[in-house]
Every structure is written in C-alpha cells, then in structure tokens.
Amino acid sequence: MGQRVLLICNYFAPDHAIAAVRTSKLAKYLKVNGYEVEVLAEKKDGGEDGLLKNGVEDIRVFYAENSPFYMHFRGLYEKLIGPHKKKRFDNLENRKRVNPKTGNVEFYTFEVAYPLIGSLDYIIGQLKQIDLFRSVRQLLRAERHYDYVITSYGDAFSYFAGRYFHKYHRDTKWIFDIRDAVYRYKFTPDYIGFIPKMYERYIWKHADCITGISKGICKRVPRKYRGKVHCLTNGFDLADMAGVSGDRICASEMTFTYTGSMYGGIRDLTVLYEAVRELIRDGQMEEERISFHYAGNGPAFEIFKSQAAAFGLDDRCVMHGKLSRLDTLKLQQGSDILLVASYDYKEQEGGVITGKVYEYMAAGRPVISIMMGDIEHSELTEIVEKTNIGMAYEASSHENDYVKLKEYIKKQYQTFVETGQTKYEPNQKELGRYDYRYLCKRLIKIMDQ
C-alpha cells in the first residue's frame, strides 16, 4: 500500500468553484501516482461541477458543517448589517480614492473602503471557520495514520484544522499549501490585519513544509524559514478538454471572453475597452464585428458592463450567466480572445496570479492579461510572455504597454477578418510546466525531501 495523505481544504470536487480545482487535481494525480488520499472538506450546498469529479470519485471525503447555532447567528447578523451594507456595496464610484502613500487614485475593495463593516464581516467569517473546525475536532484527534497532512489555505478552516491535527499527530509531516494569501493586501482592513498576520507567524514556524502558488506569496515567508518553502503554481488538466467542442460563439464577430469574478471592480478591463474604442474611431475595427462575452454572476456582469459603458461599448456586452465548468470550457474554446484581469502592488510583495490564466491555457486561445496596480514585471506577465499565449499589459508601464495592447488587438482583428480566426502560437515546452501531471510530480519530489 502506498503512503497515506490527508488533504484538508474548504473546496473540493464537486464544488462549483475555481478554488476546488487545485485541491481536486492534486488529489487526483497523487492517487494516480500510488498515494492513498483522503480528504476533509467543508460541506457546500451550492452547485456541483460534474467535470471536476472525474478521477476523484473513489477518494474518501469527510465533511465539516456549520452548527445550527452559528447559522442562526449569521442570519441575524446579515439581517442587521445587510441594509447598511448594500447601498455602500453598490456604489462603485465611492471606492476610487487617493492613496495617501502614493498620491495615486486607486480602486479600493469594499472591505478596505468601508473598514468598519469590512472588519465585522471578516470576524464573522472567522467565526464560521472556527465553527467548521469545531465540528470535526473528534475526527482530527482520532488515531488514523497518515504520512502527510496537506492543508490548502483559501479560508481559515484549513489553518485551524491543520494546526489541531498537527498537535495530536506529530509524526505526520505538515505541508501548508497557500492557494490564496493569508494576509490579503487590498482586502484586509487595517483594524483586523493583525489576525491573518498572527496565522502566518504560526504557519511559518510550525509547518514542516510550505508551498505557495506564486513566488510573491513564497517571499512573504521570513528568510529564516525559506528553506522549507517551495513554489508550486496552479495549472491545467488536459483531461478536462476531452469532449469539449471548439464551436465558435459567433463566426461573424471577433469575440473577447472573460469568465469569473470581478472582485468588486478591482479587476479592471477599462484599458481594453479604451483601446478598442480608439481603434474603432480610427477606422481600424468595425464595432459590429466585435463583442465582449461574460460568464459569472449578475452583479459582476454589471461591473464588466459598466467598464465598457465608459467607452460606449456596453451594447456589445453579452451575458452568459453562471455556467457549469464544462460549459465554461466550451465558451472559452469557442472564443477568439480570452481576457484575464488581475491586480498587484509592491506593498504586498507581489504574487497575485488569477487561476483563470491556467484554465485558459487548456483552451488553446490567445490571452490578453490586464494587470492593475503599481507592480512591475509581475509574475502573471512573466507567465504570459514565457508561454507566448498572448499579450500582457501592466498599468505600471502604461505608456509602452498601451501602444502594444492596441497593436496586438489591431493585428489579431486583421488576422480574424482575413482568415476567420485569431493567431495563437504558444511555447508548448513552457506550457507543459503548468500541466497538473507535471505539477504533481513536483509535489511528490517536495514530499520526498
């Protein structure tokens, strides 16, 4: 029998969330490589991703659930705070403010723009994670032998459960996987910033090994603990593409497609719409032959559309709603250009890479990435350029990158008009480094060390 692994996470197949992809794929390929994997995850009531279940059907999953007491308490809180929160949440204009440190006008997330409500929301969220953990304490104490426990952070349940498990099972090596930063600059209000930083200090000191999805996240670990830190990015699984047809969304229009969250507007496509509008004005593109497609929830689409409206392109926006992962992959493969929007700031040491860029790699379509913030030569840009999957724009290099962005869109449009499709010539060797089969072999090598 192979070595045994306990994976603790908030999201796992069949959860319909991008956060479930990393955990499910690592579990799938650990199993393929002979490991016996069991999972402890949060019980979700949302939609299911049938595609993500492939390869993990036989993996045993234990579930943590919130207590009726917490659910009642949460309901009262939402009833009390909801009316005060909604009118502020919907007002996007009030989130553009001058950063006193830089003097630049920046877009602030709801949590930071309204730090009092944001702090209360954070604390209520932490109580939820503690309540989830408390529901499985007996299970975590039980005498079940594992060679490794991997806690994938993207909510504090994995931190609380992993810390508790490690306390009772010192012989099991603890790998703390950081899928999402513990302390999130631009999302964590100053009032409660000490809480995630306290979590980080414990992790750096007590985990046997730390894996992070980006170099920037890994650099948050103090130098004295860097010896146990390894960068393990997200990736794609070509097996997901089996049976996905490449039928075009619209043969007569060059389609730009964005799938996923807009994070309250901090993911900003404004510069793309501006470039397209200028190309239309200069006679380089025809407005009737382009369209912007979105898949996700309603409020996020309104943000997507409002950014286009600033340049009179909102009537070219098409809403597809919240799709299953299979339908999302079909939409991506049927598009001409895929859009990635992200943000990064020097103050947080970099490292923000949206998981969508990896999903797009499997679609085989050119990508335009838009990086807001003051970061220079971001990891997202490095990935796009090394793999040659498209064009990367950074707000920190606006003068140069805006010209390149316009030229890239213009050339792709010309190619589309002439041939009926866009140009895509990726570096296949570099792309292979983001295949989950390869990434899992890297994880196994880290575990063996």
Side-chain angles (χ1 to χ4, degrees), residues 201-225:
R201 287 193 295 271
Y202 188 92
I203 295 158
W204 310 155
K205 183 176 180 180
H206 295 283
D208 295 296
C209 172
I210 298 164
T211 56
I213 64 160
S214 68
K215 295 173 189 174
I217 279 179
C218 291
K219 284 178 183 175
R220 282 194 61 84
V221 181
R223 289 189 180 277
K224 65 187 289 189
Y225 301 119

Side-chain angles (χ1 to χ4, degrees), residues 268-336:
D268 193 344
L269 296 167
T270 299
V271 70
L272 172 90
Y273 296 124
E274 182 180 3
V276 169
R277 173 49 68 192
E278 287 190 10
L279 288 167
I280 293 169
R281 185 195 64 200
D282 296 341
Q284 303 289 340
M285 299 177 77
E286 295 177 67
E287 187 170 335
E288 299 75 27
R289 296 205 67 182
I290 58 167
S291 54
F292 304 93
H293 296 253
Y294 178 82
N297 63 38
F301 175 67
E302 291 306 315
I303 294 171
F304 177 86
K305 193 176 177 181
S306 70
Q307 292 172 0
F311 301 94
L313 293 169
D314 48 318
D315 62 336
R316 305 305 301 164
C317 294
V318 181
M319 171 63 156
H320 291 266
K322 198 160 185 178
L323 303 177
S324 69
R325 190 149 168 274
L326 178 60
D327 288 336
T328 299
L329 295 178
K330 288 179 179 179
L331 178 67
Q332 291 167 4
Q333 201 169 77
S335 303
D336 294 300

Side-chain angles (χ1 to χ4, degrees), residues 10 41-45 63-72 74 124-136 157:
N10 282 81
E42 177 186 349
K43 183 70 173 176
K44 296 285 199 310
D45 296 325
Y63 287 107
E65 296 187 69
N66 281 121
S67 65
F69 176 80
Y70 171 80
M71 297 304 292
H72 178 68
R74 179 66 180 249
I124 297 299
Q126 293 306 294
L127 292 176
K128 173 186 177 179
Q129 303 304 314
I130 293 170
D131 187 62
L132 284 168
F133 150 66
R134 288 173 64 87
S135 74
V136 293
F157 163 68

Side-chain angles (χ1 to χ4, degrees), residues 33-241:
N33 282 278
Y35 286 78
E36 185 183 343
V37 182
E38 293 185 342
V39 178
L40 174 59
E42 177 186 349
K43 183 70 173 176
K44 296 285 199 310
D45 296 325
E48 291 193 359
D49 181 349
L51 188 64
L52 201 56
K53 289 192 290 187
N54 294 340
V56 297
E57 303 95 329
D58 299 333
I59 291 177
R60 187 178 185 184
V61 183
F62 303 94
Y63 287 107
E65 296 187 69
N66 281 121
S67 65
F69 176 80
Y70 171 80
M71 297 304 292
H72 178 68
F73 170 72
R74 179 66 180 249
L76 291 175
Y77 171 78
E78 294 292 350
K79 190 175 181 180
L80 179 66
I81 295 295
H84 304 283
K85 184 177 176 179
K86 189 177 187 313
K87 62 182 179 182
R88 293 169 175 82
F89 189 84
D90 292 341
N91 184 6
L92 297 178
E93 286 304 312
N94 197 36
R95 308 227 212 124
K96 293 177 182 176
R97 304 179 184 181
V98 176
N99 185 326
K101 294 180 181 178
T102 65
N104 298 328
V105 176
E106 296 178 7
F107 186 91
Y108 284 79
T109 59
F110 174 82
E111 296 91 335
V112 178
Y114 301 98
L116 183 57
I117 295 178
S119 297
L120 286 172
D121 280 353
Y122 183 89
I123 291 168
I124 297 299
Q126 293 306 294
L127 292 176
K128 173 186 177 179
Q129 303 304 314
I130 293 170
D131 187 62
L132 284 168
F133 150 66
R134 288 173 64 87
S135 74
V136 293
R137 280 188 304 175
Q138 189 173 348
L139 179 67
L140 291 166
R141 280 201 308 268
E143 288 299 322
R144 298 174 60 82
H145 172 72
Y146 297 98
D147 297 283
Y148 305 94
V149 57
I150 302 175
T151 50
S152 188
Y153 187 92
D155 267 331
F157 163 68
S158 63
Y159 163 73
F160 293 121
R163 185 179 71 175
Y164 191 79
F165 181 90
H166 194 241
K167 175 182 174 182
Y168 285 92
H169 305 278
R170 292 290 183 184
D171 293 338
T172 301
K173 297 299 181 187
W174 183 17
I175 300 173
F176 197 93
D177 178 57
I178 308 176
R179 179 193 58 76
D180 204 354
V182 183
Y183 171 76
R184 301 177 69 200
Y185 178 70
K186 283 284 183 180
F187 281 90
T188 308
D190 289 340
Y191 300 154
I192 43 81
F194 70 94
I195 298 175
K197 288 178 180 177
M198 179 177 65
Y199 297 165
E200 285 184 333
R201 287 193 295 271
Y202 188 92
I203 295 158
W204 310 155
K205 183 176 180 180
H206 295 283
D208 295 296
C209 172
I210 298 164
T211 56
I213 64 160
S214 68
K215 295 173 189 174
I217 279 179
C218 291
K219 284 178 183 175
R220 282 194 61 84
V221 181
R223 289 189 180 277
K224 65 187 289 189
Y225 301 119
R226 291 271 177 90
K228 56 183 177 182
V229 179
H230 302 267
C231 183
L232 188 74
T233 67
N234 280 325
F236 63 88
D237 186 2
L238 285 176
D240 290 345
M241 303 307 293

